[in-house]
Amino acid sequence: MGHSQAEKAQTHERIIRIASERLREKGIDGVGVADLMKEAGLTVGGFYKHFGSRDDLVTEAIGSALGSWQAKIANKAADGEKLTLGQLVGSYLSTAHRDAPGKGCAVSALVCDIARSGDETRSIFTEQVRHDIALIAGLLDGENAGLNKADSNKAQAVLTFCALIGAVSLSRAVSDDEMSREILATVEQALTGTSG
Amino acid sequence: MGHSQAEKAQTHERIIRIASERLREKGIDGVGVADLMKEAGLTVGGFYKHFGSRDDLVTEAIGSALGSWQAKIANKAADGEKLTLGQLVGSYLSTAHRDAPGKGCAVSALVCDIARSGDETRSIFTEQVRHDIALIAGLLDGENAGLNKADSNKAQAVLTFCALIGAVSLSRAVSDDEMSREILATVEQALTGTSG
DNA sequence: TGTACATCAGTGAACGCGCGTTCACTGATGTAC
DNA sequence: TGTACATCAGTGAACGCGCGTTCACTGATGTAC
């Protein structure tokens, strides 16, 4: 039952990290405060030393979840050579990503829930989407040597983003594994093959 | 408090219709049995004369919701001349559809929820998606006079479907109206303009 | 450097509300005679 | 055709469980002297 300032910060982050995974897996209404604290090795009561309410945690955890995937991509890009669109699309539309929503992109895991959420969450979400689309548009720069770069890249980036979100969402909801894989493979082919 | 066999069937359909709208609007966890019955002009207790449990209702209502949008499209096609891809995409990506999820396509309204649902619901969903993709592929027949019709149409239909779902989902979750409209307009342009 | 004391992260029981479900009851339907 | 009776859709109060939140308490941290 010891506690220092540093420990509190660690605990806080631990709760957020667990919550951000469980939220992506089970949805906003699928995670309970008691279960979350138990998984963090704590008891319920302590929760309110970290968050004003369950809603506050959800807002913070979704923000964290939205950022974490982008951070993963950024790390991958920073690690070695620069990231290509093909790599991004390939990993996004992989069965590994489909099967691990908790560690994956929060946009495709939570779009529906966020559409029903409050202004704060939706506003954080909006900036994330804006950022993601810009990131894709940037990657298109390398591939498209066409005319009207800025505008056409932006449009192509929006289409690409929508297709990615739609494909992963559908591949998770569909119960037929063959169809699920077909959706992922087809969209990957369309976005990285002779498209754009 | 009167009741005949015909009245019971009507009541059952009324509950399902209301539930299918509210589910699309508020998600699976967002609708309560008591509220639903109240909106249908009834009291809670009677619910179990129609459904074994809340889960049973949800399964049936989602099935109904998934079918209803397709039925709407079918009617539109049957009414006058035959439906074109441009018309389908245009109405799907309209702000009217975005702003009325309760009366719109259940796929984009509930993908995330369905991914977390039981086998029965996901299986019904799967067949609906299969059907929708076939419908789009059929519409592409009219427009694409290219080679390898069957295969390329199927692939293009999958991409189109994913983009539609993604675009509407995102347009609803984003809080910036300008960005929301941009997503819809950009994807419509990409799918009906010089794409494919 | 040691000692007394305030702070506060974490505990775990208890509270209270919402909601799905149950149940005894009502009265119109519709069948049996 | 009329009458007695069984059925069952719908009522509304009550139950019980889950879950978010509160609260009195504990004991290590870290500051004041």
Side-chain angles (χ1 to χ4, degrees), chain A residues 10-171:
Chain A
Q10 278 177 22
T11 300
H12 189 93
E13 272 189 46
R14 183 154 31 99
I15 298 171
I16 287 290
R17 182 172 42 76
I18 294 170
S20 84
E21 288 198 20
R22 295 298 159 269
L23 282 169
R24 279 173 278 182
E25 288 168 2
K26 304 182 177 185
I28 291 181
D29 296 316
V31 304
V33 170
D35 284 346
L36 224 49
M37 293 301 277
K38 193 174 182 183
E39 194 178 343
L42 301 167
T43 54
V44 235
F47 180 82
Y48 296 87
K49 290 282 153 60
H50 291 277
F51 307 96
S53 68
R54 183 184 175 281
D55 272 2
D56 285 1
L57 164 77
V58 169
T59 302
E60 191 177 337
I62 288 184
S64 164
L66 284 165
S68 71
W69 196 79
Q70 175 203 324
K72 218 187 255 182
I73 292 292
N75 281 344
K76 204 176 271 184
D79 258 10
E81 72 288 16
K82 70 171 194 277
L83 182 75
T84 69
L85 182 71
Q87 286 166 3
L88 175 80
V89 170
S91 79
Y92 202 97
L93 297 177
S94 67
T95 53
H97 184 211
R98 176 196 66 182
D99 297 336
K103 299 185 186 298
C105 170
V107 177
S108 48
L110 294 169
V111 227
C112 301
D113 300 71
I114 288 169
R116 304 171 201 127
S117 291
D119 285 339
E120 191 178 349
T121 299
R122 295 178 65 208
S123 158
I124 294 169
F125 176 83
T126 303
E127 291 319 309
Q128 187 62 43
V129 168
R130 207 188 298 280
H131 191 283
D132 290 347
I133 290 175
L135 186 146
I136 295 176
L139 293 178
L140 284 164
D141 275 340
E143 325 222 335
N144 263 347
L147 39 145
N148 267 0
K149 278 178 81 162
D151 277 8
S152 74
N153 276 357
K154 176 79 180 297
Q156 177 66 24
V158 169
L159 175 67
T160 300
F161 190 63
C162 290
L164 289 177
I165 305 300
V168 168
S169 300
L170 286 167
S171 77

Side-chain angles (χ1 to χ4, degrees), chain B residues 30 39 106 183:
Chain B
E39 194 178 343
I183 290 170

